[in-house]
Amino acid sequence: MNTALSWIKAYVPELECTDQEYCDAMTLSGTKVEGYERLDKNLEKIVVGQIEKIERHPDADKLIVCQVNIGAETIQIVTGAPNVKEGDKVPVVLDGGKVAGGHDGGPLPEEGIAIKAGKLRGVPSNGMMCSIEELGTTREMYPEAPEYGIYIFGEDAEVGSDAVEALGLRDTVFEYEITSNRVDCYSVLGIAREAAATFRKPFLAPEVEIQENGEKVEDYISVEVQDADLCPRYTARVCTNIKIAPSPKWMQRRLAASGIRPINNLVDITNYVMEEYGQPMHAYDLDQIAGHKIIVRRAKDGDEFQTLDGQVRKLDSEVLMICDAEKEIGIAGIMGGENSKITDDVKTVLFEAATFNGTNIRKSAKRIGLRTDASGKFEKGLAPRNAEAAINRACQLIQELGCGEVVGGIADVCQPVKEPVKIEFDAKKVNRLLGTEISEEEMLGIFQMIELKYDEETQMLEIPSFRQDLLGAADIAEEVARFYGYDKIPVSLPNGEATTGKLSFKLRIEQKARVIAEYCGFSQGMCYSFESPKVFDKLLIPEGDALRKAITIANPLGEDFSIMRTVSLNGMLNSLSTNYNRRNKEVRLYELGNIYIADELPLTKLPEERVQFTLGMYGEGDFYSMKGVVEEFFDCIGMRKKAVYDPASGKPFLHPGRQADIIYEGKKVGYLGEVHPEVCDNYDIGTKAYVAVLDMPEIIPFATFDRKYEGIAKYPAVSRDISMVVPKDILAGQIEAVIAQRGGKILEGYQLFDIYEGAQIKKGFKSMAYSITFRAKDRTLEESDITAVMKKILNGLEGLGIELRQ
């Protein structure tokens, strides 16, 4: 959205500020200014001069010598312009002045071009007469300028006055970034209203009064809307005795500053009102409308239509069309048709201003490949009340500019217009939300500036129709904040029970899981929660197993994503398989993801979602490597007690002799083991793979981040090594449980340092050796202390059928 500052000042006449002040203030109040450009950049010392005398140059056939009156004096200028004559009023840049560019209309130099007095073929020249291109603009924006030669002012130009001012170039064009919820700011009036509130100046909207000619619009046109869902409102007015002519200079200048090329009074009026009110309009030649009837309906699939740009557009039933009694004459909200365009012979004009469904306009513009300024505004969703105001403004301009007569009445087909939104106002609540102490009177003053009406009895604010973004109390508080000044709001902490954020205990445990996994060389993966029922067969899970009681998705993407997973291994094994088949020699992956366990099927309530910490690897490492990662995690989250590993876990997808349930304080918290060779084959993994799965809801109750400090030991430790002959069915965990139980308070630690099976050991047994460390906190241990404890330990081991190795 671009606007000229002069156009804004037409509605905020008391606005006085520099360009940078305007830019900063508007941005701070919520109307972001992307940048601005002065139209008079590099135009210095340029005045209106009148040519009093022209003589031929004595030494050049194509040059002439002009005596130019610039008000205070008459100067001599040599020029080669072919279009000037005595009496013409022209822009003259004086000695020491600047122009923006060259006469060829090429890129403008950054610093402009300095003009100095000199001689041309020996004849003194004290300045330069300018073309429109040398003044930094183009013939498109100044259609009265000649194609080649000097710009000629009208008779009303005052000799000696500022030529830049006379051309309307003492102006600044601002570019705004308007968010799509602020549809009102896609208009000059909307921007002007924001500027008035920002600078605390009165806003003067145009006063629209129409002198109608006594005829009735019903005698000229009728309107039928067949698809009211796509066209909530359609208004039409008729103007007769149309006289096509150039629009006045002030209108041309405002349109040119907004980047719109002036054409003629009729077209310029529709463009002017579109920019002013943000309401696109269209003008039809009423004599070209069959049956003098407008029908708003959908197109038919396969229809073709030629738009004003001469292109044939393919239509379908989702495109809304403006039709007469026989044919289509325009694509609603996008562009009119070639068959009803305005020509110089037009006598009677039909003005259209409507409200169309914004989503439909956006989709239609994309579908037919045509996006216009009108469609860009319609797709934002215009207020229905704006259509009537805009069409009346256009008719007023038709009358004021002498372009034609306005027929009485308006054809208006309108769905019930919504009542104005009302929002409760509580100044204390606004201050609590903003952390301010703004008085109620100041807030009401802000509301008055932005045209919000306040009812003291009901304490309700009535929102004008053009502010479709104001829907609740928070929106009202935002209006107060932005016009009071964000920079004035003091810094304060938010109110509430917690003023500093941190992760919940559950998330901290999961964070530790990631840290330990990555420390041990695992990379994080993410797997789908949707799986195929075939997964259970690949994992060798038998029929009737509880894991097969999976939740079926009502609208699956396909069979491969039709159930919610009850076990986390499928995704992990698929990831290991992908890496193996891409020849990655060593892979370690982990995932923190949910499984979904239903109480019963079909579902009567939401399933239980349990986070599983899943580890998978192949390559270097074995069962004990994975076990070490699990124990490292337990230690990190404060699970100091020894976990028990039960080999009788019975998982069908794990190797029967290399798997174990993980038991902690009598609770099963997970399992680990080598993947069953048949399962590896099912997943195309041609090597041994190992997995561990920890059930986080079971682990979290045992976790703690509390740490008790213990000082450095003051007394020496004593170590004893024992070598034992152990039955093969006795697990190391059973031995360590006896040592821990019978070691008493002086036991500091123990370590398995040797295990052996061979010819020196009798059949059915194995050799195991432990190093046991003792230390007392309050004294140096004596041999009798160690002997007594070791006797207890050995007696306990004998109960398991263990003998000391001789």
Side-chain angles (χ1 to χ4, degrees), residues 763-783:
K763 189 176 181 179
F765 287 80
K766 56 189 175 183
S767 172
M768 299 180 71
Y770 275 87
S771 176
I772 305 174
T773 304
F774 302 96
R775 190 196 306 265
K777 294 180 181 180
D778 55 350
R779 60 190 174 89
T780 299
L781 293 174
E782 297 180 357
E783 182 63 27

Side-chain angles (χ1 to χ4, degrees), residues 185-489:
C185 286
Y186 284 91
S187 68
V188 178
L189 284 176
I191 298 292
R193 193 178 285 110
E194 290 287 304
T198 298
F199 290 94
R200 305 294 197 272
K201 302 295 183 183
F203 171 70
L204 305 178
E207 295 183 5
V208 179
E209 294 182 2
I210 305 172
Q211 298 296 324
E212 299 172 344
N213 65 4
E215 297 179 285
K216 294 182 179 180
V217 72
E218 293 85 357
D219 297 333
Y220 284 87
I221 194 71
S222 62
V223 176
E224 176 187 349
V225 177
Q226 294 182 359
D227 292 284
D229 58 323
L230 301 184
C231 180
R233 189 172 196 181
Y234 188 98
T235 64
R237 295 202 70 151
V238 175
C239 296
T240 60
N241 299 324
I242 296 298
K243 301 176 182 65
I244 299 295
S247 53
K249 290 290 189 289
W250 62 266
M251 180 176 285
Q252 292 187 31
R253 301 299 176 255
R254 288 181 182 179
L255 290 175
S258 297
I260 299 175
R261 179 171 62 92
I263 298 175
N264 59 48
N265 50 5
L266 194 57
V267 175
D268 290 353
I269 285 171
T270 59
N271 286 333
Y272 185 87
V273 173
M274 180 176 72
E275 292 299 304
E276 185 178 42
Y277 279 77
Q279 172 68 51
M281 296 181 60
H282 193 70
Y284 296 99
D285 186 341
L286 187 60
D287 294 331
Q288 301 297 321
I289 297 177
H292 285 194
K293 183 174 184 178
I294 292 292
I295 302 173
V296 184
R297 61 168 175 80
R298 283 178 164 89
K300 297 176 182 177
D301 289 330
D303 281 358
E304 293 185 345
F305 181 71
Q306 186 176 17
T307 48
L308 277 171
D309 58 1
Q311 300 293 315
V312 175
R313 311 287 176 177
K314 293 184 178 181
L315 310 175
D316 59 39
S317 59
E318 293 302 314
V319 178
L320 190 66
M321 301 297 294
I322 309 299
C323 310
D324 61 19
E326 299 175 356
K327 61 186 180 301
E328 295 95 344
I329 59 173
I331 303 177
I334 301 176
M335 185 177 282
E338 182 74 18
N339 56 10
S340 62
K341 68 179 181 180
I342 297 293
T343 65
D344 292 342
D345 299 326
V346 65
K347 300 299 179 185
T348 307
V349 165
L350 173 70
F351 276 122
E352 163 197 286
T355 304
F356 300 115
N357 181 285
T359 302
N360 176 261
I361 295 298
R362 179 176 60 82
K363 290 181 177 179
S364 296
K366 188 174 182 179
R367 191 179 293 114
I368 67 175
L370 178 61
R371 194 171 189 272
T372 61
D373 287 342
S375 68
K377 286 182 166 58
F378 275 123
E379 68 187 25
K380 305 295 188 300
L382 300 182
R385 297 179 189 272
N386 199 40
E388 183 179 0
I391 201 168
N392 287 337
R393 173 63 166 162
C395 290
Q396 179 196 30
L397 291 172
I398 286 284
Q399 189 179 70
E400 287 183 354
L401 303 185
C403 186
E405 298 178 7
V406 181
V407 172
I410 180 171
D412 187 2
V413 178
C414 181
Q415 298 299 306
V417 178
K418 293 181 180 178
E419 291 296 318
V421 174
K422 293 186 178 181
I423 301 173
E424 183 180 2
F425 169 60
D426 183 348
K428 293 181 180 178
K429 187 175 180 180
V430 171
N431 277 323
R432 283 198 302 271
L433 184 61
L434 299 179
T436 55
E437 295 181 0
I438 306 171
S439 67
E440 182 175 334
E441 290 73 19
E442 187 171 356
M443 292 185 192
L444 292 175
I446 291 173
F447 298 148
Q448 185 176 6
M449 287 189 302
I450 57 176
E451 301 183 25
L452 274 58
K453 298 178 181 177
Y454 180 61
D455 187 332
E456 291 186 9
E457 293 185 4
T458 61
Q459 294 186 332
M460 301 291 283
L461 288 167
E462 183 177 307
I463 311 302
S465 61
F466 57 81
R467 288 302 303 273
Q468 300 181 69
D469 60 307
L470 300 184
L471 301 173
D475 300 319
I476 294 300
E478 182 184 12
E479 295 301 293
V480 171
R482 66 193 189 94
F483 288 117
Y484 173 72
Y486 290 117
D487 54 324
K488 297 179 184 177
I489 297 177

Side-chain angles (χ1 to χ4, degrees), residues 453-623:
K453 298 178 181 177
Y454 180 61
D455 187 332
E456 291 186 9
E457 293 185 4
T458 61
Q459 294 186 332
M460 301 291 283
L461 288 167
E462 183 177 307
I463 311 302
S465 61
F466 57 81
R467 288 302 303 273
Q468 300 181 69
D469 60 307
L470 300 184
L471 301 173
D475 300 319
I476 294 300
E478 182 184 12
E479 295 301 293
V480 171
R482 66 193 189 94
F483 288 117
Y484 173 72
Y486 290 117
D487 54 324
K488 297 179 184 177
I489 297 177
V491 177
S492 60
L493 287 173
N495 292 325
E497 294 180 2
T499 57
T500 56
K502 65 177 183 179
L503 294 176
S504 65
F505 184 76
K506 171 181 175 292
L507 293 179
R508 290 174 67 194
I509 298 298
E510 292 177 9
Q511 186 181 56
K512 287 294 183 184
R514 294 186 185 93
V515 169
I516 292 301
E518 290 166 11
Y519 170 76
C520 295
F522 289 75
S523 298
Q524 185 171 15
M526 296 185 70
C527 304
Y528 292 118
S529 295
F530 300 164
E531 291 187 334
S532 167
K534 298 175 184 177
V535 165
F536 302 125
D537 294 332
K538 292 178 73 175
L539 292 174
L540 308 181
I541 295 173
E543 294 291 337
D545 192 286
L547 292 177
R548 284 185 175 263
K549 295 179 181 179
I551 302 160
T552 303
I553 299 167
N555 55 341
L557 298 172
E559 185 183 6
D560 289 344
F561 302 95
S562 60
I563 63 169
M564 304 296 290
R565 66 179 180 176
T566 58
V567 60
S568 64
L569 285 183
N570 176 64
M572 178 60 67
L573 293 175
N574 272 322
S575 298
L576 293 177
S577 172
T578 300
N579 280 275
Y580 178 80
N581 287 288
R582 292 184 180 176
R583 301 186 180 182
N584 289 328
K585 294 181 179 180
E586 182 177 353
V587 173
R588 293 188 173 200
L589 299 174
Y590 77 93
E591 181 204 10
L592 279 164
N594 288 340
I595 60 171
Y596 303 85
I597 308 299
D599 283 348
E600 58 180 334
L601 295 174
L603 288 176
T604 57
K605 62 179 182 179
L606 290 176
E608 182 183 6
E609 301 182 26
R610 300 183 71 86
V611 178
Q612 307 290 289
F613 179 26
T614 307
L615 299 150
M617 70 179 190
Y618 69 79
E620 185 178 346
D622 55 15
F623 177 93

